[in-house]
C-alpha cells in the first residue's frame, strides 16, 4: 500500500513540475513593437534586415527579446556602413510598462562617408609590352562610377569594380581579374580612400571554329555566317554576333560560342560552337490576346528543307479582331560567291491581308524580294516590293491603289542584351523610291526614321525614349497603298488611344496619312529584380501634311515585368483628346 502511495506521490510531483514550467513559459512570452527614430532614408533598410524587427510579429521569451536588444546596435552599424555611415550613435530602450512592450531605437546616422581619392592600377598586357593601351586605361578610369565626392556605398563600390572588370573582359582580355581592392575608411574625417588593382592578363586571339552538334545541316552554312577570322583579337561582341546570326537563320534552336580561357595559351584559341538544331519541319498552333487587336488565332508551317534545297519556308495564317492574314516567305541559303555580298541572305514572299480598322476596310496584296546583311548590329536590307490594295469606306467609297517601290533600310543596334536590354539604343532609317510608269501613277519617295533609347539614370531608375517620323513624297493617300501610309495609336505607339485610331478622317473613317510623328518619354523605377513601375507621356499623329499635323497626347502609369520571354508591359493610359482611360498590354520594346 505504501509503495502504491509513493508512486502516486511521485506522479503528482512530476505533474506539478510540468505545470509550473508551462506556466512559467507562458508568462515569459512577450509581445513587443519596435520604433525606429532618426534613421531617415535608411529606415526601410533597417526595417527589412534587423532581426528584432523581423521577429516582432510573434511573441518571444523575454530572455530572447533582451538578447535581440543587445545585438541590435551591432547589426545597425553593419547595415548603415553599407550605405556609407560608419559613425552612427545608437540608443536602445525597452518600455515594459506598455502593452505590448515597446522597443525604441534612437539613431543618429552621422555624416555620410565621402570618397576622397580613387587609385586604379592596371597590370598585365594592357599596361606593359607590345599590347600597352594607355588610351583604353584612361577611358576605363574616366568611366569609373564612384568618383571623389560621392557617398561611399557598398553596392556602388561593388558595381564600379564589376564595370571596370567588364571593360577588360569584353574585348582582348577574357582572363582579366581584380587582384586587389581596398576601401580604407577614416571615421574621423568621414572619408574613403579607394585602391583597385586590375590585371588584364594576356591579350587573346581567336583560332579556328570547333563545331559540336551539327547533324542535319552543312558546315559551309556556318562558315559563311561566321564573323570571326582566325588570328583577330578576342571580342565577346563577335561571339554574340556569331550566335545571333545562326539563331536568326531558323535552322538552330540554340547556338552557344565560347573559348577556353587559359592565360598560359592566349593565342589562336579555338572557338567552340555548341549547336542544337531545329527539326526540318514544324507545325505551330497558337492563340493569344492583345489590347490592340483582341483575341488572336495563328497557324504556322515551317519547312527548313523546302524543295529539298535547304530553303526555309515560313508560312502563316492569322486571324484576329481586325486582321485576316495569309502568306509565306522563302529564305534562301546565305550567298557564298558571285556579285552579291558574301553572307547576305536573299528571300522572297507573298501575303494577302484584310484589315478592318477605324471604319476602313482594306484588301491588301504584298509581294517582293529582299536581301539582308548578316550583321545584326549594323543591319542593312535592300528590297523591291509590289503593293496593291482595294480600299472600302462605308457602302459607297471604293478605291484601288498600287505601287512598285525599291527600298533600303539601315538599322543600328547597340544594346547590352538582345532580349532584356537595360541600356543602349536601336536606330533605323528606311529610304524608298518608285518611278512613274506602268504601275506608279507618279514618282514616289518615302522616308521613315525610328529610334529607341534606354538609359539608366540612377540606381533602380531608367529612362526609355522613343521617336518616329515619316513622310511620303510625290503621292497622296488616294494613290498610295495603305502599307506606305501612316497611322498610329496603340500599345507601342501612342498609348491612351486605340490601335491605328490616329490618322486622317475621311467619310467618317480613320485612314492613313502621308506624314507622321510619334514621341514618347518613360521613366521606370525598378522595385525588385523582376518588377518595376513606370510613368510615361506619349504624343503622335498622322496627317496629309506637316501643317495639318496635330499631336495627340496620352499619359499614364504602368507595371513592368522582366519575364523569360522579354519585358512585359501593362499600362493604364489617359487619352487627352478623348478624355478616356485605356488599358494596354505589350511584350518587349518597339524596336
Amino acid at each position: 500500500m505504501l509503495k502504491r502511495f509513493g508512486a502516486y506521490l511521485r506522479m503528482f510531483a512530476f505533474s506539478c513540475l510540468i505545470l509550473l514550467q508551462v506556466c512559467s513559459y507562458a508568462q515569459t512570452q512577450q509581445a513587443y513593437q519596435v520604433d525606429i527614430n532618426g534613421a531617415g532614408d535608411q529606415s526601410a533598410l533597417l526595417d527589412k534586415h534587423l532581426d528584432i524587427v523581423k521577429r516582432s510579429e510573434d511573441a518571444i521569451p523575454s530572455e530572447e527579446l533582451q538578447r535581440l536588444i543587445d545585438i541590435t546596435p551591432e547589426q545597425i552599424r553593419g547595415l548603415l556602413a553599407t550605405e556609407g555611415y560608419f559613425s552612427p550613435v545608437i540608443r536602445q530602450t525597452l518600455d515594459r510598462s506598455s502593452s505590448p512592450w515597446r522597443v525604441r531605437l534612437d539613431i543618429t546616422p552621422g555624416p555620410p562617408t565621402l570618397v576622397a581619392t580613387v587609385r586604379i592600377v592596371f597590370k598585365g598586357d594592357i599596361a606593359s609590352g607590345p599590347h600597352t593601351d594607355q588610351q583604353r586605361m584612361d577611358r576605363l578610369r574616366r568611366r569609373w562610377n564612384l568618383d571623389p565626392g560621392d557617398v561611399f556605398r557598398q553596392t556602388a563600390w561593388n558595381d564600379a569594380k564589376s564595370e571596370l572588370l567588364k571593360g577588360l573582359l569584353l574585348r582582348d582580355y577574357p582572363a582579366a581579374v581584380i587582384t586587389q581592392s581596398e576601401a580604407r575608411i577614416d571615421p574621423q574625417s568621414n572619408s574613403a580612400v579607394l585602391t583597385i588593382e586590375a590585371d588584364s592578363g594576356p591579350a587573346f586571339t581567336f583560332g579556328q571554329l570547333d563545331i559540336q552538334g551539327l547533324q542535319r545541316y552543312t558546315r559551309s552554312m556556318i562558315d559563311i555566317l561566321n564573323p570571326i577570322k582566325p588570328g583577330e583579337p578576342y571580342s565577346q561582341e563577335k561571339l554574340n554576333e556569331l550566335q545571333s546570326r545562326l539563331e536568326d537563320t531558323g535552322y538552330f534552336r540554340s547556338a552557344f560560342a565560347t573559348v577556353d580561357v587559359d592565360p598560359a595559351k592566349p593565342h589562336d584559341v579555338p572557338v567552340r560552337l555548341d549547336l542544337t538544331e531545329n527539326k526540318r519541319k514544324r507545325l505551330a498552333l497558337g492563340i493569344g490576346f492583345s489590347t490592340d487587336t483582341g483575341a488572336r488565332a495563328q497557324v504556322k508551317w515551317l519547312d527548313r528543307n523546302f524543295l529539298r534545297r535547304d530553303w526555309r519556308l515560313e508560312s502563316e495564317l492569322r486571324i484576329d479582331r481586325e486582321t485576316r492574314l495569309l502568306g509565306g516567305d522563302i529564305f534562301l541559303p546565305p550567298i557564298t560567291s558571285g556579285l552579291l555580298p558574301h553572307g547576305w541572305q536573299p528571300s522572297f514572299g507573298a501575303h494577302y491581308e484584310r484589315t478592318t480598322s477605324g471604319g476602313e476596310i482594306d484588301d491588301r496584296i504584298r509581294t517582293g524580294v529582299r536581301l539582308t546583311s548578316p550583321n545584326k548590329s549594323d543591319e542593312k536590307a535592300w528590297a523591291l516590293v509590289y503593293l496593291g490594295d482595294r480600299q472600302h469606306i462605308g457602302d459607297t467609297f471604293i478605291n484601288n491603289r498600287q505601287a512598285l517601290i525599291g527600298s533600303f533600310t539601315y538599322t543600328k543596334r547597340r544594346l547590352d542584351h538582345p532580349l532584356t536590354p537595360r541600356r543602349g539604343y536601336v536606330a533605323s532609317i528606311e529610304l524608298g523610291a518608285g518611278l512613274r510608269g506602268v504601275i506608279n501613277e507618279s514618282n514616289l519617295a518615302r522616308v521613315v526614321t525610328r529610334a529607341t533609347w534606354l538609359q539608366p539614370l540612377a540606381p533602380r531608375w531608367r529612362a526609355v525614349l522613343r521617336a518616329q517620323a515619316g513622310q511620303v513624297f510625290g503621292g497622296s493617300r488616294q494613290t498610295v497603298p495603305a502599307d506606305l501610309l501612316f497611322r498610329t495609336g496603340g500599345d507601342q505607339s501612342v498609348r491612351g488611344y486605340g490601335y491605328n485610331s490616329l490618322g486622317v478622317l475621311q467619310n467618317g473613317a480613320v485612314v492613313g496619312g502621308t506624314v507622321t510623328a510619334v514621341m514618347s518619354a518613360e521613366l521606370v523605377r525598378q522595385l525588385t529584380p523582376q518588377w518595376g513601375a513606370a510613368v510615361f507621356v506619349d504624343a503622335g499623329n498622322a496627317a496629309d501634311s506637316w501643317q495639318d499635323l496635330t499631336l495627340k497626347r496620352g499619359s499614364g502609369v504602368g507595371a513592368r515585368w522582366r519575364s523569360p520571354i522579354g519585358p512585359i508591359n501593362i499600362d493604364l493610359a489617359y487619352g487627352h483628346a478623348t478624355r478616356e482611360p485605356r488599358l494596354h498590354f505589350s511584350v518587349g520594346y518597339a524596336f
Side-chain angles (χ1 to χ4, degrees), residues 70 91 109 112 131 170 174 189 311 346 400 407 441 453 520 523 559 568-569:
D70 293 340
R91 181 173 176 265
H131 296 284
L170 293 181
S189 61
W311 294 3
N400 296 317
S407 66
E441 294 187 14
W453 182 54
S520 173
L523 187 64
I568 290 182
N569 314 306

Side-chain angles (χ1 to χ4, degrees), residues 193-511:
V193 176
L194 309 182
T195 303
I196 308 95
E197 183 179 284
D199 188 344
S200 70
F204 280 64
T205 58
F206 284 125
Q208 297 292 333
L209 197 60
D210 176 19
I211 303 175
Q212 303 294 324
L214 193 63
Q215 296 176 351
R216 298 186 182 96
Y217 307 109
T218 63
R219 179 184 174 117
S220 61
M221 176 195 307
I222 297 170
D223 290 334
I224 292 169
L225 295 172
N226 183 15
I228 300 172
K229 302 296 185 290
E232 71 178 4
Y234 168 88
S235 167
Q236 183 64 46
E237 184 178 357
K238 282 292 183 72
L239 295 177
N240 294 342
E241 178 69 20
L242 172 59
Q243 294 173 181
S244 176
R245 290 187 183 188
L246 294 177
E247 290 174 351
D248 286 345
T249 64
Y251 295 112
F252 303 101
R253 187 182 311 155
S254 66
F256 191 53
T258 58
V259 298
D260 183 16
V261 180
D262 183 356
K265 301 176 181 178
H267 304 301
D268 300 323
V269 181
V271 178
R272 180 185 172 98
L273 181 62
D274 291 285
L275 299 172
T276 302
E277 297 180 332
N278 277 318
K279 293 181 179 179
R280 290 284 193 182
K281 298 178 181 181
R282 179 171 178 256
L283 175 65
L285 307 175
I287 58 175
F289 177 82
S290 165
T291 49
D292 273 347
T293 57
R296 179 180 66 254
Q298 191 174 39
V299 179
K300 283 189 174 183
W301 170 251
L302 282 77
D303 186 344
R304 298 181 176 89
N305 192 26
F306 186 61
L307 300 181
R308 299 181 182 274
R309 293 176 173 270
D310 276 341
W311 294 3
R312 189 171 88 250
L313 168 66
E314 295 186 1
S315 55
E316 176 184 13
L317 170 63
R318 186 175 78 242
I319 300 174
D320 59 37
R321 184 177 61 204
E322 299 190 353
T323 305
R324 308 290 186 270
L325 172 66
L326 176 64
D329 292 285
I330 295 176
F331 299 85
L332 306 184
I335 296 169
T336 60
S337 61
L339 299 177
L340 296 176
H342 181 86
W344 286 51
Q345 185 172 55
S347 63
F348 57 92
H351 297 80
Y352 165 76
E353 183 176 8
R354 182 180 179 88
T355 61
T356 304
S357 178
E360 177 189 34
I361 299 175
D362 264 319
D363 291 291
R364 308 179 186 183
I365 296 175
R366 181 186 182 97
T367 183
V369 296
R370 186 179 177 90
L371 188 63
T372 308
S373 71
N375 188 348
K376 300 304 176 185
S377 297
D378 293 279
E379 186 178 55
K380 305 175 183 68
W382 296 91
L384 180 64
V385 181
Y386 167 78
L387 302 165
D389 70 20
R390 186 175 180 85
Q391 181 188 35
H392 303 256
I393 300 177
D395 297 328
T396 58
F397 185 85
I398 299 176
N399 184 27
N400 296 317
R401 302 172 293 189
Q402 62 179 351
L404 180 66
I405 190 166
S407 66
F408 170 76
T409 305
Y410 172 66
T411 304
K412 188 171 186 177
R413 298 179 176 90
R414 297 294 185 269
L415 300 171
D416 61 344
H417 192 280
L419 188 62
T420 56
R422 295 176 181 270
R423 69 166 68 234
Y425 66 90
V426 175
S428 69
I429 182 169
E430 178 185 343
L431 307 173
L435 297 177
R436 179 180 179 180
V438 177
I439 295 177
N440 299 326
E441 294 187 14
S442 60
N443 292 327
L444 266 178
R446 185 174 187 264
V447 179
V448 184
T449 61
R450 300 179 180 89
T452 301
W453 182 54
L454 294 86
Q455 179 62 43
L457 300 178
R460 298 193 175 188
W461 290 93
R462 182 175 72 257
V464 182
L465 304 179
R466 291 186 289 111
Q468 175 185 341
Q471 182 170 0
V472 175
F473 301 88
S476 67
R477 55 186 164 88
Q478 283 75 32
T479 60
V480 175
D483 280 336
L484 298 179
L485 299 174
F486 304 102
R487 286 195 295 178
T488 189
D491 297 341
Q492 295 195 344
S493 57
V494 184
R495 288 162 287 189
Y497 302 88
Y499 178 61
N500 278 348
S501 64
L502 299 179
V504 179
L505 287 175
Q506 179 181 331
N507 298 344
V510 178
V511 300

